[in-house]
Structure formats: structure tokens, C-alpha cells
Amino acid sequence: MRLRIPRCLMDGQRVTLPAADSEGLVAVTLQLDGARVAAIAADPQASAPAPLALTPLVEPHAHLDKSFTYSAFANPGGTMEGALAANLREFEQRTAEQVHERSERALEQAWRYGLRAIRSHIDSGGGPASEASWQVLLEQQRRWADRLTLQLVALVPIRFWLTPEAETLAQRVAAAGGLLGGVLGPPFGHRSSDALALRALLQLAARLGCGVDLHVDEGDTAAGLGVALVVRTALELGAQVPITCSHASSMGLLSAARCSRLAEQMAAAGVQVVALPRTNLWLLGRRSGQTPWLRAQAPIRPLQQAGVDVAVGGDNVQDPWYPGGDYDPIELLRLCFTTSHLDPWQRQGLAPFTTSPARLLGLDWDGVLRPGCPADLLVLEANSWQQVLARPPQRRVLRAGVWIAGAGSGSSDALTAVPS
Ligand SMILES: [Zn+2]
């Protein structure tokens, strides 16, 4: 199979390769042996066009329990308050059947679009909807295990971790191999109890050996307040489990000097970040009837420069927090080229979609090609990054050495054959 593959997705220690082109792509031939890559060599016809290929991507932040609910629970004003209110209305009537239908559709699309792992938060504040969502998604985790890794995070307001129910939920999540989460800051605002609640959460997580993934500073005021609290508390307690700050949007409004200082402290505390620009750009910086001028999003580059691992996620898909999206990682990559200046021809531009989320989720495979690695590819009908950016490319997905049938609502013709 003749392909052009980003240099940063090839193991330079194990494969001798020619130099990359101006877009960081290397012309190679891949030989497969069943479900594994047998050999990788320089393409003798390097000057002839060949499809651009990636390894399947990783979605580090989703909400499978509420996907595709926008039409019934709309938020036409596009505000945080409107999103929260609609989400709560939906949660009150959520059933197991609905969660099954939503998650099945989401996983099917994600798999066919070329995702290999998803971390999903689950509304876990209590009641029948929480119970149903966990039961269904744990079952989905088992059903989908040979196609897609699914990690689950308990999402509650941070103050929940000070209530008597905290221990029970944490025990159940730990027994299921999940992560503990919480919302620190908007839309709930910063409260005096936040520090205590966060401390309780981190102590509980350390005792039970659960990773932590917080929704923190999803706002355009109080710049970096929640992230700073996470870092202080993690350093004080000596963080013993992986901690992820999802969003960290208002941190992007700090001055360059304060932003770098905080980023360095995050690196020292081992705190990772999942940036979610799409939802942030829709919900934040709203001024009724005006054009936004404040575009709060995680400061991806300063974080990377400080040594913080940053992944980019799609977050909400057709729910009250964002009416669009489709679990298509290539569309997210195309969007972030513009919104976040993540140039895919740079290692640090592509890593947030590939190797960084693989590391953040602790996946067995880092997504880098070397002999013996999984025969898993996302092959695009484009010969260059510029063509990928020009228009949504058609694609084929190879998993364990087998091409899977294309699908995806609204783009059923988007996955037709490319030369192999
Ligand atoms: Zn989220």
C-alpha cells in the first residue's frame, strides 16, 4: 500500500525513512500481515501522488449520554445558562432506551469516521437518569470493546464531592474502572466551597485509584481561577492519579506572562489539558445581537511549550451545548486549523488529535506506526494537508487489516474507496 504519512506518526527508531516533504509527510509503502503491520519502507515512486493516511484518531472528551438531543432540547440563544437549563430538562426525563439509542448512533459514527477510542463524561448527579446512563454505557463499553475503547467519567457539580452520596458514587465508578469528574467554575460560578470540594475529590480519587477529569474554567471571566486551584491542590496533596483539566478556556485570557507561569505549574503538577475550542467558540464571548470579540479557549501552544500534554476534543454533539458536530475527527481537525492555529504539518499541531490523547487516555498503542503495530489506518482521499483543508475529504478506515464499511449520517457517500 503506497501512502503519505505524517513523519510524527512514524517511529524513527524502528524505521529508516526518507526526508519528509514540506508538509511533514513521508512517502512510504506499508506491508500488512493480517491484523498487524509487517514492514514499512520508503516508497520507490515517491514523486507519484499517494493518499495521505493517519492512524485512527482519539476523542478525549464527549458526552454520549446527551448526544443528538438538540432538536428536542434546543438552545437557540447559544448561552451557557440556556444550555444548562435545557440539559437539566432533558436529564429529568432521560431513559435507558434513549441513552442506548444515542450512544449506539454515536459509537457507530465514530467508529466509521475513524476514531479508535472515546472518553465520555456521564451526567451523574443522581436519580434514575444517572443510574440508567451508567448501566447502558457500561454495557456499550463491553459490546464495543473489540472496536473502540470507551472510558467513562462521572460528571457532577464539584460541590457533590462534599455530600454523603460522594463515597457511594466514587466506589461504583472505581469498581467499573471509570474516572471521577466534576464541574469547577461556570456555569455554576466560583464558590467558597470549591477548594474543599476539590480536595475531597482528589483525596477520594487517590484512595480509590481513579483518574480525574474536570470541566474547569469553561468561561470568559475569572481567567484561570479554577485551573490555578487545581494546580495548587494537586501540588499540596502530591497528586497520585492522572488529573485532566478539560476546557481551561478562560486561562487563554491571562497575560502571556501569567499564562506561562500557570502552564509551568501545571507541568510540574502533571496536570493535562483537553482543549474544546468548538463548544467554547459557540457558547463563550456572546454579546446579544453583537459579533464576539473575546474568543476564550485553552492556550494550547503556551501549554505545550511548558510541557503540558494537550489533547483536542469535540465535546458536545448536537446537544444543548452545541447543535452541530458529528463525531468526525477530521472535521474537528479542519476546524481547529482556523480556530486554534493547529497546523497539521507541525508535530505540535497534529499531536492534540493523535499521540497526545492516546497518552492522556493511557491507551496501549501510542498511534505511531512501526513493524508489529496494529494494521489500523485512516486513509484520506487527499494527497496533501492543503487538500484536506480545502474540502472535506472522503476516506477509508482500515481496522485490524480489514476495510470497514463507510457510514455516517449526512455523509454516507463520504467514505467511498480511495486507491489502496
Ligand atoms: Zn464536556
Side-chain angles (χ1 to χ4, degrees):
M1 195 180 333
R2 296 182 51 245
L3 299 167
R4 286 178 190 270
I5 295 177
R7 184 70 185 79
C8 54
L9 294 182
M10 313 279 297
D11 185 343
Q13 308 287 324
R14 302 276 310 277
V15 184
T16 308
L17 295 168
D21 67 15
S22 60
E23 289 195 335
L25 303 173
V26 181
V28 293
T29 59
L30 239 62
Q31 246 177 37
L32 308 184
D33 181 9
R36 298 271 150 189
V37 170
I40 304 171
D43 182 358
Q45 306 171 58
S47 56
L52 196 168
L54 309 171
T55 50
L57 304 179
V58 176
E59 171 54 81
H61 187 117
H63 292 268
L64 296 176
D65 54 346
K66 61 185 104 170
S67 293
F68 312 115
T69 56
Y70 185 85
S71 56
F73 298 92
N75 175 23
T79 62
M80 292 282 280
E81 300 73 29
L84 180 62
N87 191 157
L88 291 175
R89 280 201 310 280
E90 180 273 313
F91 183 72
E92 279 167 18
Q93 60 80 66
R94 188 183 298 176
T95 65
E97 291 70 30
Q98 288 170 334
V99 177
H100 178 80
E101 201 179 302
R102 294 166 192 170
S103 58
E104 187 67 14
R105 179 174 164 193
L107 291 164
E108 190 71 34
Q109 289 186 189
W111 148 256
R112 296 190 187 284
Y113 276 135
L115 282 169
R116 66 184 176 106
I118 298 180
R119 177 181 285 182
S120 176
H121 297 251
I122 304 178
D123 292 347
S124 302
S130 299
E131 189 67 30
S133 301
W134 272 95
Q135 275 183 12
V136 169
L137 290 171
L138 283 170
E139 177 56 25
Q140 291 289 53
Q141 187 183 52
R142 282 187 288 274
R143 281 189 58 237
W144 279 83
D146 59 346
R147 286 169 285 177
L148 215 144
T149 301
L150 180 55
Q151 289 186 0
L152 302 172
V153 188
L155 177 59
V156 290
I158 195 77
R159 64 179 180 275
F160 175 90
W161 298 111
L162 290 173
T163 68
E165 292 79 35
E167 178 77 27
T168 312
L169 176 65
Q171 293 276 2
R172 292 186 64 185
V173 171
L179 292 92
L180 306 183
V183 183
L184 180 56
F188 299 115
H190 293 278
R191 296 167 186 234
S192 52
S193 61
D194 285 353
L196 268 183
L198 178 64
R199 176 175 285 269
L201 164 60
L202 295 186
Q203 286 173 331
L204 202 50
R207 175 153 59 79
L208 298 172
C210 290
V212 171
D213 191 333
L214 294 156
H215 282 65
V216 53
D217 289 344
E218 183 181 2
D220 50 24
T221 57
L225 209 64
V227 171
L229 179 62
V230 172
V231 168
R232 270 202 313 277
T233 314
L235 288 172
E236 254 173 60
L237 295 176
Q240 296 148 30
V241 291
I243 300 174
T244 302
C245 285
S246 286
H247 287 292
S249 328
S250 65
M251 186 182 167
L253 304 177
L254 289 170
S255 69
R258 291 181 64 200
C259 184
S260 296
R261 227 173 10 251
L262 182 53
E264 281 161 18
Q265 291 165 346
M266 293 165 81
V271 170
Q272 306 152 312
V273 168
V274 176
L276 303 161
R278 191 174 63 192
T279 292
N280 293 158
L281 293 174
W282 192 61
L283 286 173
L284 305 183
R286 278 211 177 250
R287 298 181 300 148
S288 183
Q290 298 296 316
T291 301
W293 58 270
L294 201 62
R295 311 273 53 202
Q297 57 174 311
I300 298 173
R301 285 311 178 94
L303 285 163
Q304 289 176 324
Q305 283 154 12
V308 177
D309 236 341
V310 185
V312 169
D315 202 356
N316 305 96
V317 170
Q318 300 175 46
D319 70 23
W321 303 84
Y322 183 65
D326 202 20
Y327 287 98
D328 181 349
I330 297 299
E331 271 313 289
L332 186 63
L333 184 149
R334 282 162 39 83
L335 178 80
C336 291
F337 173 72
T338 309
T339 64
S340 313
H341 295 181
L342 293 178
D343 304 329
W345 42 79
Q346 291 182 352
R347 176 182 289 271
Q348 297 290 59
L350 191 58
F353 303 92
T354 55
T355 47
S356 289
R359 211 165 24 242
L360 197 137
L361 267 67
L363 301 179
D364 291 340
W365 181 32
D366 56 8
V368 174
L369 287 166
R370 55 180 72 85
C373 78
D376 289 2
L377 291 168
L378 174 50
V379 182
L380 302 173
E381 195 182 45
N383 299 321
S384 66
W385 280 121
Q386 189 272 322
Q387 287 179 8
V388 173
L389 297 167
R391 66 195 68 83
Q394 299 182 342
R395 78 193 70 175
R396 291 184 83 197
V397 177
L398 185 78
R399 296 299 303 272
V402 177
W403 295 105
I404 67 172
S409 64
S411 35
S412 54
D413 61 344
L415 301 152
T416 51
V418 275
S420 58

